[in-house]
Amino acid sequence: MANRQKILIVDDDNNIAELISLYLTKECFETKIVNDGEEALRVIKTFSPNLILLDLMLPGIDGYQVCREVRQKSNTPIIMLSAKGEIFDKVLGLELGADDYIIKPFDSKELVARVKAVLRRSQQSEKAVSSQTNGKYVEYPDLIINLTNYSVLYNGNPVDMPPKELELLYFLASSPNQVFTREQLLDHIWGYEYIGDTRTVDVHIKRLREKIKDHKNWSISTVWGIGYKFEVK
């Protein structure tokens, strides 16, 4: 049992947290519950979770800020939980680096399925990196995207970005001038089991464009009505 995957549940409603813990314990996960953002940031260091279930409405430091601080130091998968179902809240959560977003109230089977899917994608990414012996990167003028060590150099400076942003950029740049639909990008980057929608792709493209500006030799281009491409001029 020592190799059970660990899930940190961050929710100020202890009844909901206990219920989530029950669902996940039945699936052989090890769980730990905390009820506020400050405690979550402390516990992450000692508990070292494989995944964080993070409620947005927390006392003190809210879930958005917790997600922001975790992403500055770690790529630990995060699934946000919220009673807020508005598109703005979902987009903001994804922009901050969350891997998925679940609206309360949720079905227990869907919650477990999403946890397993996010963990699977995370593990596949880690295996892909560790299996590379000669390095895996693409290079353009003023841009180097290295999938082996998950780094991006832009104009000679390192650029911080969550794993899915980097993987999306690498995938597009690996096939210059090829157009990909949002559905194709979801399949390649998030996997066939992803339960989200194509808006996820748009959010990540928006974030990439904020960090990687168009270059005279290349750009991340929108092909209206179809999808996106890494355009080399």
Side-chain angles (χ1 to χ4, degrees), residues 11-18 35 55 104:
D11 199 313
D12 62 333
D13 187 328
N14 211 52
N15 291 328
I16 292 177
E18 292 285 358
N35 301 121
D55 185 42
K104 297 178 181 179

Side-chain angles (χ1 to χ4, degrees), residues 55-68:
D55 185 42
L56 290 183
M57 304 305 290
L58 297 169
I61 301 176
D62 66 16
Y64 291 121
Q65 183 62 29
V66 172
C67 182
R68 186 180 291 110

Side-chain angles (χ1 to χ4, degrees), residues 128-143:
V129 173
S130 63
S131 67
Q132 301 303 319
T133 55
N134 297 322
K136 195 171 183 180
Y137 68 94
V138 291
E139 184 171 355
Y140 292 95
D142 300 317
L143 179 67

Side-chain angles (χ1 to χ4, degrees), residues 43-62:
V43 168
I44 287 168
K45 298 176 183 178
T46 55
F47 186 58
S48 299
N50 298 101
L51 182 143
I52 302 168
L53 284 170
L54 179 62
D55 185 42
L56 290 183
M57 304 305 290
L58 297 169
I61 301 176
D62 66 16

Side-chain angles (χ1 to χ4, degrees), residues 6-187:
K6 297 186 289 186
I7 312 293
L8 180 64
I9 303 164
V10 187
D11 199 313
D12 62 333
D13 187 328
N14 211 52
N15 291 328
I16 292 177
E18 292 285 358
L19 193 59
I20 293 172
S21 178
L22 180 63
Y23 297 149
L24 294 173
T25 301
K26 286 182 178 179
E27 296 293 326
C28 297
F29 290 105
E30 179 183 347
T31 64
K32 189 175 185 65
I33 296 171
V34 298
N35 301 121
D36 65 73
E38 290 183 359
E39 185 183 4
L41 292 172
R42 290 194 299 270
V43 168
I44 287 168
K45 298 176 183 178
T46 55
F47 186 58
S48 299
N50 298 101
L51 182 143
I52 302 168
L53 284 170
L54 179 62
D55 185 42
L56 290 183
M57 304 305 290
L58 297 169
I61 301 176
D62 66 16
Y64 291 121
Q65 183 62 29
V66 172
C67 182
R68 186 180 291 110
E69 294 196 24
V70 170
R71 277 292 165 266
Q72 290 176 353
K73 304 173 184 176
S74 168
N75 290 326
T76 302
I78 296 173
I79 298 178
M80 287 187 166
L81 306 175
S82 178
K84 294 182 173 183
E86 289 82 0
I87 293 300
F88 170 80
D89 298 299
K90 293 182 182 179
V91 170
L92 179 57
L94 292 169
E95 285 185 339
L96 290 173
D99 296 86
D100 205 348
Y101 189 107
I102 301 178
I103 299 171
K104 297 178 181 179
F106 46 78
D107 179 79
S108 61
K109 291 181 180 178
E110 180 185 2
L111 173 70
V112 171
R114 291 202 183 200
V115 166
K116 289 181 176 179
V118 169
L119 283 169
R120 222 169 2 245
R121 295 197 302 271
S122 175
Q123 289 158 4
Q124 287 167 355
S125 295
E126 290 173 3
K127 287 179 182 177
V129 173
S130 63
S131 67
Q132 301 303 319
T133 55
N134 297 322
K136 195 171 183 180
Y137 68 94
V138 291
E139 184 171 355
Y140 292 95
D142 300 317
L143 179 67
I144 301 175
I145 311 154
N146 192 318
L147 195 63
T148 302
N149 60 13
Y150 272 61
S151 66
V152 174
L153 280 178
Y154 174 56
N155 289 330
N157 299 311
V159 180
D160 291 329
M161 56 178 65
K164 286 293 175 280
E165 281 182 24
L166 190 147
E167 290 165 16
L168 178 58
L169 178 61
Y170 177 85
F171 181 77
L172 289 170
S174 296
S175 301
N177 296 321
Q178 181 173 341
V179 180
F180 294 96
T181 66
R182 291 169 176 81
E183 290 78 11
Q184 287 175 321
L185 293 171
L186 274 177
D187 288 343

